[in-house]
Amino acid sequence: MFADRAKIVIRSGKGGDGHVSFRRELYVPNGGPDGGDGGRGGDVIFEVDEGQNTLGEYRHMRKYKAEDGQEGGKKRCHGADGKDIVLKVPEGTVIMEAQSGKVIADMSGKNKRQVILKGGRGGKGNQHYATPAMQVPKYAQPGQPAQELEILLELKVIADVGLVGFPNVGKSTFLSRVTNAQPKIANYHFTTLSPNLGVVDTENGGFVIADIPGLIEGASEGAGLGHEFLRHIERTRVLIHLVDAASVEGRDPVEDVYKINEELEKYNSEISAKPQVIAANKIDCIAMDDGADNPVERLKNEFEPKGIRVFPISAVSGQGVRELLLYVRELLNTCEQKEPVVYEQEYFPEDILIDENLPYTVEQDKDDPTVFIVEGPKIEKMLGYTNLDSEKGFAFFQSFLKKTGILKDLEKAGIQEGDTVRMYGLEFDYYK
């Protein structure tokens, strides 16, 4: 079955913890710290696979995880980096945060590969924390935690032309005649439950056409499979309205065009504004000499003054189909050739906020009243996320101390300018 939506959980790799160890060699009784750094956690990467056209494989597996980085070792050995996980998706896949629906990435156009979740940075070993005041550091930096996110994958088919119409007007028959596509064809509603893509070749150039499953009234509000169908024509450049000119099921073709446009307008006004052409199908089933009552003439009188051409065709016999396709190709030539609409990023997974509810403690050192010790899971997690060697990281560190109230707690504890603040293996002097 064609799958154009999937909800999955992705997780990057945790950074390996830094190692605590000390040099131990014969005749070197007091070797310095030599704990190695942890390895980087693997990234979660999405990549376009030209050979895929559905999201079917993501229906059977819910969770995808990159490899964790390894812990650092003795003798300054660096832990191995975790392997990335690369998830292949068809072009046109939009990746969204599941709860908010905000776009994380759109795998369309030039965007063929994107890192969605970064692996955690490896923690520093205790070799980095030796100072004249602390020559035997028993602290190593923990690796940065993994990131986990529930995401929604949604495939929006990319085609030049969208073929729209109510059920049973002959869209699948039309597509099978003009392309090499082989859609399932039968005389009952919703035979087509997935968009079918086909390539049309004409003397004046080819184009890709998508048969969008039959619409029903209320589709724009989600009736039937409305939303699932309508999203596939957001990226088309021209619309062909296929209507049953013979009214085999008692439908009025003029009314059908208005109803379809109404559904498109309600769903997305930009879709209804696209160039349109009407294909009046099943003319082999009607008498063409009915004068003003002829349904094709009624369609022409109603819509051609509005700039929408009407072509009488028979998808079964092929009558009028060539003229329609040549006109559609010309219509595409007049449309400005654009890259597929690529949705802007609205959600940034890397902007992870440290849990405000994590605890921490602020205490004055019993042996040295000028030293204040700040510890706890909140501090440990912050150190795992923050590269204090960079200007941006240190600015975040300062902002973190202020926003979380740690500076206020230090002042309440009696800290004075010039006193020392110790956070695990880090020490810095306090100044207002």
Side-chain angles (χ1 to χ4, degrees):
M1 179 181 174
F2 182 90
D4 57 4
R5 297 189 93 193
K7 189 178 285 188
I8 62 174
V9 176
I10 55 175
R11 183 182 181 274
S12 63
K14 175 190 178 300
D17 295 336
H19 191 69
V20 176
S21 62
F22 298 90
R23 186 179 167 204
R24 291 290 181 265
E25 291 182 27
L26 193 62
Y27 310 120
V28 186
N30 296 311
D34 69 350
D37 299 345
R40 178 189 64 83
D43 298 336
V44 179
I45 302 169
F46 277 79
E47 190 172 85
V48 170
D49 182 352
E50 303 291 349
Q52 287 190 23
N53 57 15
T54 81
L55 297 169
E57 66 180 82
Y58 298 104
R59 289 286 184 89
H60 310 296
M61 189 171 169
R62 273 275 296 162
K63 192 162 186 177
Y64 297 83
K65 178 183 178 297
E67 196 174 77
D68 293 340
Q70 290 186 359
E71 183 184 352
K74 298 179 180 180
K75 299 182 180 179
R76 305 192 176 199
C77 288
H78 194 290
D81 291 342
K83 291 181 182 178
D84 300 334
I85 182 170
V86 180
L87 303 178
K88 302 291 185 72
V89 293
E91 185 174 5
T93 300
V94 181
I95 304 166
M96 295 173 283
E97 196 275 323
Q99 299 301 316
S100 65
K102 291 183 177 179
V103 174
I104 300 171
D106 185 352
M107 308 305 292
S108 306
K110 296 178 181 178
N111 189 26
K112 303 295 185 185
R113 181 182 171 93
Q114 184 166 337
V115 177
I116 301 300
L117 290 184
K118 290 284 290 180
R121 190 185 63 251
K124 292 182 177 179
N126 69 334
Q127 59 172 310
H128 296 280
Y129 298 107
T131 65
M134 183 184 291
Q135 297 182 17
V136 189
K138 296 180 180 179
Y139 168 79
Q141 188 182 39
Q144 186 178 13
Q147 293 177 261
E148 186 169 293
L149 190 64
E150 185 178 35
I151 60 172
L152 176 66
L153 304 178
E154 189 172 277
L155 176 60
K156 295 178 185 286
V157 170
I158 296 176
D160 299 304
V161 177
L163 186 60
V164 297
F166 282 95
N168 283 352
V169 295
K171 296 195 307 304
S172 295
T173 304
F174 176 80
L175 188 74
S176 66
R177 169 164 288 279
V178 302
T179 75
N180 289 325
Q182 295 179 332
K184 183 179 178 183
I185 300 171
N187 188 31
Y188 50 89
H189 285 189
F190 291 110
T191 298
T192 305
L193 290 177
S194 63
N196 291 300
L197 284 180
V199 178
V200 177
D201 291 318
T202 61
E203 298 97 305
N204 55 350
F207 54 87
V208 179
I209 186 169
D211 166 21
I212 308 303
L215 298 177
I216 61 174
E217 291 174 68
S220 58
E221 283 127 31
L225 298 176
H227 284 174
E228 282 76 0
F229 294 165
L230 283 165
R231 66 168 164 268
H232 292 298
I233 53 176
E234 289 184 26
R235 285 171 163 161
T236 57
R237 294 160 57 202
V238 170
L239 298 180
I240 298 177
H241 289 256
L242 203 70
V243 295
D244 176 7
S247 301
V248 171
E249 295 192 348
R251 306 188 64 89
D252 178 13
V254 173
E255 196 175 319
D256 277 2
V257 175
Y258 279 120
K259 285 180 178 177
I260 288 170
N261 274 331
E262 185 180 352
E263 294 299 330
L264 297 179
E265 174 71 29
K266 286 179 182 176
Y267 179 74
N268 184 337
S269 58
E270 292 182 11
I271 297 176
S272 63
K274 294 176 186 288
Q276 301 179 8
V277 59
I278 295 171
N281 192 26
K282 304 184 182 181
I283 59 169
D284 51 314
C285 299
I286 61 176
M288 298 298 289
D289 57 356
D290 290 344
D293 291 331
N294 184 288
V296 174
E297 291 303 315
R298 286 180 55 231
L299 285 164
K300 286 184 176 182
N301 293 336
E302 184 72 25
F303 294 105
E304 290 198 339
K306 300 176 181 178
I308 301 175
R309 285 284 302 275
V310 177
F311 287 84
I313 70 162
S314 169
V316 173
S317 69
Q319 182 182 349
V321 170
R322 179 176 173 274
E323 291 77 7
L324 168 67
L325 297 180
L326 289 173
Y327 175 76
V328 169
R329 180 64 260 182
E330 290 175 8
L331 203 55
L332 286 168
N333 291 339
T334 62
C335 297
E336 185 181 355
Q337 182 66 45
K338 298 178 181 177
E339 287 288 325
V341 175
V342 177
Y343 296 95
E344 294 292 327
Q345 186 171 7
E346 303 169 321
Y347 185 92
F348 298 85
E350 63 270 21
D351 291 346
I352 293 179
L353 298 175
I354 296 169
D355 188 350
E356 295 181 1
N357 297 318
L358 288 175
Y360 67 90
T361 58
V362 175
E363 296 178 349
Q364 193 170 18
D365 193 323
K366 295 177 182 178
D367 300 325
D368 186 348
T370 66
V371 175
F372 291 78
I373 301 168
V374 184
E375 292 180 332
K378 189 174 199 133
I379 307 304
E380 220 174 337
K381 191 167 185 181
M382 181 273 297
L383 292 175
Y385 276 109
T386 312
N387 178 13
L388 296 180
D389 294 334
S390 72
E391 185 178 339
K392 184 177 179 181
F394 193 74
F396 171 79
F397 172 69
Q398 290 177 309
S399 174
F400 170 82
L401 295 179
K402 186 174 181 180
K403 285 182 179 178
T404 55
I406 293 173
L407 288 181
K408 284 187 177 180
D409 289 342
L410 285 167
E411 290 169 2
K412 287 179 184 178
I415 196 169
Q416 301 295 320
E417 288 203 14
D419 286 350
T420 299
V421 177
R422 184 179 296 160
M423 295 183 176
Y424 295 96
L426 297 176
E427 286 190 358
F428 59 92
D429 295 333
Y430 171 80
Y431 292 98
K432 279 192 175 182

